[in-house]
């Protein structure tokens, strides 16, 4: 079976790749595109470790076909920091020990960013439901939720 | 040591591996690739129990793109009649777990493996392998496996003279329980069951392996011990350890289950046969079917107490589900259940029961939560019956320094009381609880305690001063949750330099000395101990160098704030020499500065924890929700409080899952019915509240910073604490886990 040619944009840069019709976006990111920051925890959309955004919408990369990215804007963890400057969420996660093993962290950060873009002033409950699609087995979520709430407060402060 | 003047120890520093982990750059086991790499898949048994009469791989081998096929005949055999131990693992079972030999013992048991140009071809080739199975009757549950007419998994195994599924026993005894029960005013005996639960790490097992033409092997994989990977791979493939370089990838969670290998030896054999590097990655379904879990249990606990609450006798009988091959963690429930209490008469017995499930692996305080579930629930019932506060009852019976622990040693310090008292006086325990907040909603509060041994063991470290006067520390322990940050805090503190000048990395099996597993709550204890010894040696070297430069004795020099200074006026007057200045002069003054320390560390005192939880039960739907959770534990010394709290919070939430929602489901053919994260229900963010850790710091006198283990004790109390809270809410006791909605509803319908 011949491969399909896909042109898309990843983290603001135009990219092209070849893939099988059956390949998931996660396969494409981790394979031909070499972006292994997006993790595979289950491959069935249940753990959120492969969270990315497509035109700003939160998606599990394992549930999307690679060919569906044609002409869209994909954002992954590798594009979250600006050069040496971490995104406020990334910085806060480090300051508040909101990661232990770190395998869930890329997906959690992408989900948290998507949440704060929609809702810059979430309650604890809104954060918990906003991140309910991201499994973390290490932290018990406490420090993750706190870090997201604190980042939100800080970002609102900066905007003001 | 434990004072307020510490600059780095006890600070919430940024972890050395942090930036890589929040930017997606950290490399976990599935993130490696090699030039020319091919991909492997495992063929797994579709049957729960079957004799393997033959395997024909010829069609698979003939498929274009297939490069190698491996079956049990390629794996080193460890005959059944002679035990070969590697730590706590018996290689007879390990060799049969990585590849089924005489029999497939569970649904998902590997029977062959194929390496091919890609995963699709490898999977297609697996489908072409013809396995001649003689399907046998299977048995899943403990109750069924110990019946006299149960299907026998291992015909060679006997118990009390007959073929049996009981593959091992453990007995601990003190005093005379019969006499003790006769003296008791109240005796309560209850039977409890629990289901196997998976460790649930988000990172599936994976490895990339290269077997080179000269027979040298490189393994990239994530595990809780690269030296374990090396040793097990060597034993199962016959490659000498000196030829195996096991490189630890970042590990995406293990919780005990990554203390054994599943893939690495098979990938080595495939790489050897094919002459190509081989990558092997499990799917989530494979992880759930064939790795872990923690055992299910069938426990009977009987406790007798006097009217004043003093316990006079305790008896525990614990059947644990080993899975298809022997080796359940009996020492968990048998040794830990009664260890926190001073009880004159105790009999604690464990049975290792095989059945047609995947072989169990360690899970955080292996086995101890199951014992505590039974014991701590019976204690609650006794306290209720005697009209005592359950925490006061625990205080009354706390073990003391000098008591002989049931598992052997004489206790040094016992800091159990402090954990109980901190909950007793905590605002949570004193806060009023509205038990009937709305129609159909009930609330309750429960407490429970837990004990875990903790451990020391082998640890190696190198501390090297770079030419520009900074520090590189290499340790031999994979970092599962911030241990690099703790080591950096210790080394920066001792050297008196800024934390950011210390880099900590995990060495591979060829670059650092032997270091035992990251497990048993031992890594921060052991690695801080060797890092301290090594850094102190480095400081000795630095003083010597300063002495040479000044022409005075090293004894007359002190090290302070990152500088060598004359120790007193008699030593002479010299301007201080900084670490940077001494490093710059290292080569002319005697060569590179650095040391290595390797120790078998000892002095890890046991860990105690006491928890308090409020739950809310939706009576119509049977849903139990945790509203508030407070977990007190003596950690000795929190080198990095953020990661200490994180261990407690993570352990508690795993315990909540164990208590309320997690379990393996089997169909009538003995196949796992819920091998996915959708159907195997671990707690998600919206299921749980904040977890309030009460970190008690009573320094361990046998450790340079006062560290005790932290990681395991937090998962011991939650099962019982939640069951006790549900009882408080509903007035009904739960003797079976999980307390999932269908079971709660069912129990509510019973009288
Ligand atoms: S930090 Fe390990 S799974 Fe979240």
């Amino acid at each position: 079976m011949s491969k399909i040619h896909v042109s898309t944009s990843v983290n603001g840069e135009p990219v092209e790749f070849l893939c099988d019709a059956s390949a998931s976006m996660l396969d494409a990111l981790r394979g031909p595109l070499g972006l292994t920051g997006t993790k595979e925890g289950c491959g069935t959309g249940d753990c959120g470790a492969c969270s990315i955004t497509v035109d700003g919408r939160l998606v599990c990369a394992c549930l999307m076909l690679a060919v569906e990215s044609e002409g869209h804007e994909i954002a992954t963890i590798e594009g979250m920091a600006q050069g040496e400057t971490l995104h406020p969420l990334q910085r806060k996660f480090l300051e508040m020990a909101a990661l232990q093993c770190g395998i869930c962290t890329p997906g959690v950060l992408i989900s948290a960013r998507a949440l704060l873009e929609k809702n810059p002033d979430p309650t604890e409950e809104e954060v918990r439901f906003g991140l309910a699609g991201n499994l973390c087995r290490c932290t018990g979520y406490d420090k993750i939720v706190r870090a997201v709430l604190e980042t939100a407060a800080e970002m609102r402060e900066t905007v003001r | 040591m434990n004072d307020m003047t510490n600059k780095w120890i006890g600070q919430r520093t940024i972890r050395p591996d942090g930036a890589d982990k929040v930017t997606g750059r950290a490399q976990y086991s599935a993130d490696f690739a090699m030039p020319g790499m091919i991909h492997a898949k495992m063929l797994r048994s579709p049957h729960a129990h079957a004799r393997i009469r033959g395997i024909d791989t010829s069609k698979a081998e003939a498929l274009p793109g297939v490069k190698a096929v491996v079956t049990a005949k390629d794996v080193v055999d460890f005959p059944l009649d002679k035990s070969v131990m590697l730590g706590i693992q018996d290689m007879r079972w390990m060799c049969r777990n990585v590849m089924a030999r005489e029999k497939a013992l569970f649904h998902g048991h590997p029977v062959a493996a194929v390496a091919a140009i890609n995963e699709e071809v490898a999977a297609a080739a697996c489908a072409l392998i013809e396995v001649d199975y003689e399907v046998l009757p299977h048995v899943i549950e403990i109750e069924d496996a110990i019946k006299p007419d149960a299907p026998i998994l291992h015909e060679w195994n006997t118990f009390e003279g007959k073929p049996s599924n009981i593959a091992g026993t453990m007995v601990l005894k003190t005093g005379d329980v019969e006499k003790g029960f006769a003296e008791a005013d109240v005796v309560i005996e209850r039977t409890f069951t629990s289901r196997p639960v998976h460790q649930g790490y988000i990172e599936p097992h994976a490895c990339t392996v290269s077997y080179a033409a000269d027979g040298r092997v490189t393994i990239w994989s994530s595990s809780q011990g690269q030296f374990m990977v090396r040793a097990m791979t060597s034993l199962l493939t016959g490659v000498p350890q000196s030829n195996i370089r096991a490189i630890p990838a970042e590990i995406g969670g293990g919780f005990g289950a990554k203390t054994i290998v599943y893939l690495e030896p098979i990938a080595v054999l495939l790489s050897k046969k094919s002459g190509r590097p081989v990558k092997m990655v499990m799917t989530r379904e494979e992880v759930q079917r064939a790795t872990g879990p923690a055992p299910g249990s069938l426990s009977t606990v009987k406790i007798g107490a006097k009217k004043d609450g003093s316990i006079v006798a305790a008896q525990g009988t614990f059947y644990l589900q080993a899975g298809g091959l022997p080796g359940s963690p009996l020492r968990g429930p048998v040794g830990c259940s009664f260890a926190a209490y001073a009880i004159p008469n105790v009999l604690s017995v464990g049975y290792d029961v095989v059945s047609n499930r995947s072989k169990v692996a360690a899970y955080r305080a292996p086995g101890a939560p199951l014992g505590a579930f039974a014991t701590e629930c019976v204690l609650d019932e006794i306290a209720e019956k005697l009209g005592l506060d359950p925490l006061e009852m625990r205080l009354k019976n706390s073990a003391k320094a000098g008591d002989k622990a049931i598992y052997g040693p004489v206790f040094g310090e016992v800091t159990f009381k402090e954990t109980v008292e901190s909950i007793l006086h905590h605002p949570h325990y004193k806060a009023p609880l509205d038990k009937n907040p709305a129609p159909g909603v009930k609330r309750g509060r429960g407490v429970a305690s837990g004990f875990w041994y903790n451990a020391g063991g082998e640890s190696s470290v190198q501390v090297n001063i770079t030419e520009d006067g900074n520090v590189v520390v290499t340790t031999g322990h994979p970092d599962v949750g911030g241990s690099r940050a703790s080591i950096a805090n210790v080394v920066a503190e001792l050297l008196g330099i800024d934390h950011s000048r210390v880099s900590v990395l995990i060495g591979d099996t060829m670059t650092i000395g032997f270091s035992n597993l990251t497990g048993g709550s031992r890594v921060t204890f052991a690695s801080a101990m060797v890092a301290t010894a090594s850094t102190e040696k480095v400081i000795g070297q630095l003083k010597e160098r300063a002495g040479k430069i000044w022409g005075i004795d090293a004894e007359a020099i002190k090290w302070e704030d990152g500088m060598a200074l004359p120790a007193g006026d008699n030593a002479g007057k010299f301007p201080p020499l900084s670490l940077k200045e001494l490093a710059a002069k290292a080569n002319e003054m005697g060569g590179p500065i650095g040391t290595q320390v390797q120790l078998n560390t000892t002095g890890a005192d046991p860990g105690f924890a006491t928890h308090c939880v409020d739950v809310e039960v939706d009576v119509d739907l049977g849903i139990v929700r945790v509203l508030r959770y407070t977990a007190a534990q003596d950690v000795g010394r929190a080198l990095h409080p953020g990661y200490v709290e994180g261990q407690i919070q993570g352990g508690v939430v795993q315990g909540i899952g164990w208590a309320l929602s997690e379990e393996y489901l089997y169909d009538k053919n003995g196949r796992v019915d819920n091998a996915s994260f959708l159907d195997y229900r671990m707690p998600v963010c919206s299921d749980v509240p904040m977890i309030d850790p009460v970190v008690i710091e009573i320094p361990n006198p046998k450790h340079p910073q006062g560290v005790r283990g932290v990681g395991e004790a937090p998962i011991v109390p939650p099962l019982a604490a939640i069951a006790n809270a549900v009882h408080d809410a509903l007035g009904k006791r739960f003797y079976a886990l999980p307390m999932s909605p269908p079971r709660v509803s069912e129990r509510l319908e019973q009288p």
Side-chain angles (χ1 to χ4, degrees):
Chain A
M1 200 171 54
S2 64
K3 303 243 181 202
I4 299 172
H5 177 267
V6 179
S7 300
T8 183
S9 151
V10 177
N11 299 327
E13 286 182 8
V15 296
E16 295 174 54
F17 61 89
L18 294 176
C19 67
D20 291 331
S22 63
S24 71
M25 192 63 219
L26 180 59
D27 295 336
L29 287 170
R30 293 182 55 83
L33 295 172
L35 296 172
T36 54
T38 306
K39 304 298 178 193
E40 176 161 354
C42 66
T44 51
D46 300 316
C47 78
C50 66
S51 299
I52 58 169
T53 60
V54 181
D55 302 334
R57 242 188 75 216
L58 186 64
V59 166
C60 282
C62 71
L63 294 183
M64 172 182 171
L65 290 172
V67 293
E68 291 180 288
S69 67
E70 177 80 32
H72 292 284
E73 305 263 339
I74 306 290
T76 71
I77 186 66
E78 286 89 350
M80 197 160 172
Q82 298 300 316
E84 278 196 1
T85 312
L86 296 178
H87 185 280
L89 278 164
Q90 292 173 309
R91 191 167 36 75
K92 198 54 83 184
F93 269 52
L94 291 181
E95 287 169 6
M96 296 182 68
L99 57 145
Q100 283 176 35
C101 79
I103 194 88
C104 70
T105 309
V108 171
L109 286 168
I110 293 287
S111 289
R113 184 177 66 179
L115 170 72
L116 295 189
E117 276 167 10
K118 269 199 290 192
N119 180 358
D121 190 6
T123 62
E124 181 191 331
E125 193 178 9
E126 286 167 339
V127 172
R128 289 195 176 274
F129 279 92
L131 297 180
N134 292 83
L135 285 176
C136 172
R137 192 59 158 173
C138 297
T139 64
Y141 305 105
D142 183 299
K143 292 187 191 306
I144 291 177
V145 174
R146 287 178 201 274
V148 173
L149 287 168
E150 278 219 16
T151 310
E154 223 180 81
M155 287 173 78
R156 291 196 302 277
E157 205 53 41
T158 331
V159 172
R160 209 166 286 157
Chain B
M1 173 178 80
N2 203 26
D3 58 27
M4 300 307 287
T5 59
N6 279 336
K7 209 167 162 200
W8 301 111
I9 291 175
Q11 295 302 309
R12 296 170 191 262
T13 51
I14 303 288
R15 60 199 277 171
D17 51 325
D20 277 351
K21 286 188 173 153
V22 296
T23 54
R25 293 183 194 182
Q27 283 199 293
Y28 293 82
S29 58
D31 300 338
F32 286 86
M34 276 201 85
M37 177 177 89
I38 56 175
H39 300 265
K41 286 302 271 178
M42 208 73 97
L43 175 68
R44 295 176 183 276
S45 168
H47 306 294
H49 193 195
R51 198 175 312 282
I52 299 172
R53 285 188 292 224
I55 303 180
D56 182 353
T57 59
S58 54
K59 285 189 190 139
E61 279 163 74
L63 186 73
V66 170
K67 303 293 177 189
V69 179
V70 157
T71 64
K73 67 180 192 314
D74 301 293
V75 179
V76 174
D77 186 12
F78 288 82
L80 291 167
D81 54 359
K82 194 167 147 270
S83 166
V84 176
M85 298 302 290
L86 180 73
I88 59 166
Q89 302 297 340
D90 190 324
M91 295 310 295
R92 289 179 297 173
W93 320 140
M94 277 297 122
C95 87
R96 284 165 178 79
N97 199 42
V98 298
M99 196 60 84
R101 206 158 264 282
E102 304 83 5
K103 270 180 166 186
L105 294 162
F106 56 91
H107 172 217
H109 200 165
V111 291
V114 178
I117 49 166
N118 60 40
E119 279 200 349
E120 290 70 35
V121 175
C126 282
L128 294 175
I129 295 175
E130 288 165 8
V131 185
D132 181 8
Y133 291 110
E134 177 194 343
V135 179
L136 302 168
H138 66 273
V139 59
I140 301 289
E141 304 299 343
I142 296 175
E143 297 86 327
D144 299 328
I146 57 179
K147 282 184 185 151
D149 57 346
I152 297 295
L153 272 73
H154 305 293
E155 292 79 2
W156 43 265
N157 177 63
T158 57
F159 180 72
E160 293 174 345
K162 288 195 230 43
S164 170
N165 290 321
I166 294 178
T169 54
M170 178 177 177
V171 181
L172 293 177
K173 199 177 155 163
T174 174
D176 176 349
V177 280
E178 289 315 320
K179 192 173 126 273
F181 287 124
E183 290 165 8
D185 296 318
V186 46
V187 175
I188 289 183
E189 178 174 10
R190 298 282 180 257
T191 293
F192 298 80
T193 60
S194 76
R195 318 282 293 164
V197 293
H198 198 269
Q199 292 78 355
Y201 33 88
I202 309 301
E203 179 202 37
H205 300 259
C207 66
T208 300
V209 164
S210 158
Y211 186 103
D214 58 1
R216 289 183 194 274
V217 172
T218 310
I219 301 171
W220 289 266
S221 71
S222 80
S223 74
Q224 288 172 248
Q226 61 275 43
F227 291 90
M228 172 283 296
V229 169
R230 178 176 78 176
M232 283 206 182
T233 304
S234 171
L235 285 163
L236 294 172
T237 61
V239 178
Q241 288 196 5
S242 55
N243 273 7
I244 299 176
R245 183 174 179 201
I247 302 177
E250 292 305 327
I251 170 170
F255 312 110
K258 290 180 183 166
T259 56
I260 56 176
V261 293
Y262 294 95
L263 300 176
E264 290 90 335
I266 306 303
V268 166
L269 295 169
L270 289 166
S271 180
K272 182 181 181 182
K273 273 197 178 179
S274 63
R276 302 273 290 268
V278 169
K279 181 168 181 168
M280 230 171 162
V281 183
M282 279 197 204
T283 62
R284 174 56 49 185
E285 190 184 331
E286 288 179 291
V287 173
Q288 296 296 113
R289 284 200 200 294
T291 72
S297 61
L298 169 65
S299 318
T300 301
V301 164
K302 181 176 175 185
I303 295 178
K306 292 281 202 194
K307 279 204 187 77
D308 68 352
S310 44
I311 305 172
V312 286
Q315 184 170 353
T317 309
F318 306 100
Y319 290 88
L320 297 195
Q321 225 155 20
L325 293 153
S328 57
L330 296 181
R331 75 187 272 274
V334 174
C336 295
S337 297
F338 309 111
Y341 305 105
I343 309 175
N345 307 293
V346 179
L347 176 61
S348 192
V349 183
Y351 296 96
D352 188 27
V353 183
V354 291
S355 69
N356 296 110
R357 299 169 174 262
S358 54
K359 174 174 169 38
V360 297
Y363 181 22
R364 217 166 191 155
L370 304 171
F373 170 48
T375 304
E376 298 288 311
C377 284
V378 173
L379 281 182
D380 202 65
E381 222 170 317
I382 291 192
E384 187 192 19
K385 192 147 188 184
L386 293 173
L388 298 171
D389 179 288
L391 292 177
E392 297 285 2
M393 174 154 172
R394 284 173 175 81
L395 280 181
K396 188 171 188 64
N397 290 288
S398 166
K400 305 176 299 300
D403 286 354
K404 191 169 181 311
I406 181 178
Y407 60 92
V410 171
F411 281 125
E413 246 184 329
V414 176
T415 55
F416 177 43
K417 272 193 175 173
E418 285 81 351
T419 71
V420 179
E421 275 162 358
S422 73
I423 293 293
L424 194 58
H425 303 306
H426 195 279
H428 179 177
Y429 196 61
K430 294 185 175 154
L433 181 70
D434 179 0
K435 293 180 83 172
N436 298 293
V441 180
K442 303 267 187 202
R443 289 184 177 167
R445 177 169 295 158
V447 295
S449 296
F451 169 93
W452 179 250
Y453 303 105
N454 292 336
E458 303 92 331
S459 187
S460 301
V461 75
Q462 292 166 9
V463 177
N464 287 309
I465 306 300
T466 58
E467 299 99 290
D468 60 357
N470 294 310
V471 188
V472 177
V473 182
T474 309
T475 154
H477 304 294
D479 178 356
V480 296
S483 56
R484 274 177 281 220
S486 299
I487 296 171
N489 282 2
V490 168
V491 173
E493 186 75 50
L494 295 172
L495 281 172
I497 59 170
D498 195 86
H499 168 267
S500 63
R501 288 171 61 191
V502 182
S503 290
V504 184
L505 56 112
I506 319 297
D508 66 56
T509 56
M510 288 197 179
T511 57
I512 185 75
F514 180 82
S515 301
N516 212 325
L517 294 162
T518 296
S521 300
R522 61 174 293 268
V523 159
T524 301
F525 173 88
S527 59
M529 197 178 255
V530 291
T532 300
S534 195
T535 307
E536 280 169 353
K537 279 195 185 177
V538 163
I539 292 171
Q541 290 176 342
L542 290 164
K543 288 201 256 183
E544 251 169 51
R545 303 299 168 87
K548 266 196 195 168
I549 292 168
W550 292 333
I552 65 172
D553 207 39
E555 313 275 88
I557 295 172
K558 61 180 178 180
W559 186 264
E560 243 177 48
D561 289 332
M563 286 180 291
L565 302 162
D569 291 343
N570 293 347
K573 287 231 173 313
F574 303 100
L577 280 167
S578 70
L579 180 57
K580 279 194 191 299
E581 289 165 318
L582 288 165
K585 292 196 164 77
N587 287 350
E588 50 196 282
M589 289 295 152
I593 303 170
T595 61
Q596 162 159 329
V597 168
Q598 299 173 277
L599 284 176
N600 188 5
T601 63
T602 57
D605 272 0
F608 298 93
T610 300
H611 294 186
C612 178
V613 58
D614 293 352
V615 301
E616 178 174 285
V617 187
D618 180 320
V619 177
D620 296 325
L621 299 175
I623 297 172
V624 179
R625 283 189 66 81
V626 174
L627 298 178
R628 184 171 182 183
Y629 206 111
T630 306
Q633 187 174 338
D634 172 25
V635 305
R637 181 74 171 116
L639 299 180
H640 189 301
Y643 294 109
V644 167
E645 292 162 0
Q647 286 295 313
I648 295 174
Q649 292 164 333
V652 165
V653 170
Q654 287 183 318
I656 292 174
W658 202 332
L660 296 180
S661 59
E662 295 179 33
E663 66 178 315
Y664 271 64
L665 302 173
Y666 285 81
D667 70 11
K668 64 180 194 320
N669 295 315
R671 297 175 189 162
V672 182
D673 229 0
N674 61 337
S676 75
F677 273 155
L678 184 63
D679 299 322
Y680 181 85
R681 186 62 164 76
M682 309 198 302
V684 302
C685 197
S686 51
D687 289 335
V688 291
M690 294 296 185
I691 307 298
D692 185 7
V694 179
V695 175
I696 303 169
E697 295 185 276
I698 303 165
N700 174 359
K702 293 175 239 163
H703 188 276
Q705 285 80 32
V707 171
R708 292 177 211 276
V710 175
E712 288 170 295
I715 204 173
V716 183
L719 318 189
I722 293 168
N724 291 337
V726 172
H727 164 258
D728 188 46
L730 300 175
K732 289 190 175 187
R733 297 229 170 239
F734 280 71
Y735 301 109
L737 297 184
M739 293 174 278
S740 55
R743 286 172 187 244
V744 172
S745 298
E746 198 184 317
R747 180 79 180 85
L748 282 171
E749 280 155 23
Q750 291 163 3

